[in-house]
């Protein structure tokens, strides 16, 4: 049975309604547009729909390897009740991040493959979502001396490159847990480790969350963001 394709007429309004709600609640100053997919890298990605973000806060979406952009993408796919095998039908992008990321993953896959050929030591990539893992696998599909496999489950699922004749796959590498914030040194009082006394260092994304931030209660109000004319 063929997978159902996403369309502008049926699915774009659902994406827009969901993103309008989330972005207004988060008070991100960004706009977006839903358009039909492009085939810049058809061998690696061929989405039905692309959601492109622009605006003053777009760099927040791209910070830390586009963590927020990927989170928005995942939440949207959950809201649309898309099965994991359907996730490649939609793509979120900003400042051509996806095109650059595909190139980066392809180069990383080739460099890691050469390393494994020379050392015969497995190479683990950091945990990635299913779409980025797929790009790594496709980048190495023509290799004969090494192969790529996915190991681990859930948030630690990652690609490992191993010699082609290796029978037993290595265990996934778990990312280190962040160290808990310990109490300050005796005599530090409420300064903390940074030496700040009484400064409110909240801010969330962009540093303008909370009362008194940009836009105040209500944010951007009724801005019609992302609607097609």
């Amino acid at each position: 049975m063929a997978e159902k394709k996403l369309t502008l007429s049926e699915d774009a309004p659902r994406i827009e309604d969901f993103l309008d709600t989330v972005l207004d609640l988060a008070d991100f100053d960004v706009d977006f547009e839903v358009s039909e997919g492009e085939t810049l890298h058809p061998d690696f990605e061929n989405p039905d729909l692309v959601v492109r973000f622009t605006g003053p806060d777009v760099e927040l979406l791209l910070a830390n390897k586009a963590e927020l952009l990927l989170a928005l993408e995942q939440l949207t796919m959950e809201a649309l009740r898309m099965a994991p095998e359907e996730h490649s039908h939609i793509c979120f992008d900003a400042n051509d991040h996806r095109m650059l990321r595909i190139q980066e993953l392809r180069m990383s896959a080739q460099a890691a493959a050469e390393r494994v050929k020379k050392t015969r030591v497995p190479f683990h990539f950091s945990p990635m979502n299913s779409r980025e893992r797929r790009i790594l696998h496709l980048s190495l599909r023509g290799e004969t001396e090494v192969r790529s496999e996915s190991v681990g489950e859930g948030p630690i699922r990652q690609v490992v490159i191993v010699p082609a004749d290796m029978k037993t796959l290595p265990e996934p590498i778990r990312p280190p847990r962040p160290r808990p914030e310990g109490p300050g040194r005796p005599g530090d009082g409420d300064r903390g480790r940074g030496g700040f006394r009484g400064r409110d260092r909240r801010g969330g994304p962009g540093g303008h969350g909370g009362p008194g931030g940009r836009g105040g209660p209500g944010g951007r109000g009724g801005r019609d963001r992302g609607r097609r004319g």
Side-chain angles (χ1 to χ4, degrees):
M1 181 177 178
E3 294 181 6
K4 176 181 176 295
K5 290 178 65 69
L6 301 182
T7 64
L8 280 176
S9 60
E10 182 177 348
D11 299 291
R14 299 164 60 201
I15 295 171
E16 292 167 350
D17 288 343
F18 177 76
L19 287 177
D20 276 334
T21 300
V22 172
L23 293 172
D24 282 338
L25 289 173
D27 197 25
F28 284 133
D29 191 3
V30 294
D31 296 300
F32 66 89
E33 180 181 4
V34 184
S35 60
E36 291 185 348
E38 299 175 358
T39 56
L40 297 176
H41 297 281
D43 293 338
F44 296 90
E45 282 194 329
N46 192 17
D48 300 331
L49 298 178
V50 177
V51 183
R52 288 189 174 83
F53 293 84
T54 57
D57 284 350
V58 74
E59 292 301 326
L60 296 176
L61 302 183
L62 297 176
N64 194 21
K65 297 183 180 180
E67 183 176 37
L68 285 177
L69 182 69
L70 293 175
L72 279 176
E73 184 181 74
Q74 182 66 34
L75 287 173
T76 302
M77 292 187 292
E78 293 290 340
L80 268 59
R81 301 183 182 277
M82 297 174 62
E85 61 270 16
E86 299 174 334
H87 287 185
S88 60
H89 290 292
I90 187 172
C91 175
F92 279 29
D93 199 5
N95 293 351
D96 293 327
H97 166 77
R98 288 305 302 168
M99 178 181 68
L100 298 174
R101 180 60 174 162
I102 290 173
Q103 294 174 353
E104 178 186 3
L105 289 169
R106 293 172 66 183
M107 293 175 62
S108 297
Q110 292 299 326
E114 292 301 317
R115 177 174 171 177
V116 174
K117 290 177 187 178
K118 293 178 181 178
T119 65
R120 294 191 58 81
V121 175
F123 182 92
H124 290 78
F125 283 91
S126 299
M128 297 177 185
N129 61 34
S130 59
R131 295 176 59 181
E132 296 201 337
R133 294 196 307 270
R134 179 174 180 271
I135 292 171
L136 292 176
H137 292 310
L138 290 175
S139 298
L140 300 177
R141 60 188 169 182
E143 293 285 344
T144 57
E145 297 180 50
V146 298
R147 73 179 195 276
S148 61
E149 301 282 353
S150 290
V151 296
E153 299 295 336
I156 67 165
R157 191 155 177 80
Q158 59 203 245
V159 171
V160 59
I161 300 176
V162 299
D165 58 356
M166 180 173 283
K167 303 299 183 183
T168 304
L169 293 178
E171 292 293 320
I173 295 179
R174 293 181 178 272
R177 294 181 179 179
R179 293 182 178 179
E181 291 289 339
R185 294 174 298 178
D188 278 351
D190 59 358
R191 288 181 298 170
R193 291 187 297 178
F196 293 91
R197 188 190 300 272
R199 177 180 295 182
D200 183 1
R201 291 190 291 165
R202 295 176 304 161
H208 56 267
R214 181 172 53 198
R220 292 175 300 282
R223 171 182 290 190
D224 185 12
R225 182 171 0 84
R227 300 295 181 181
R228 300 187 307 280

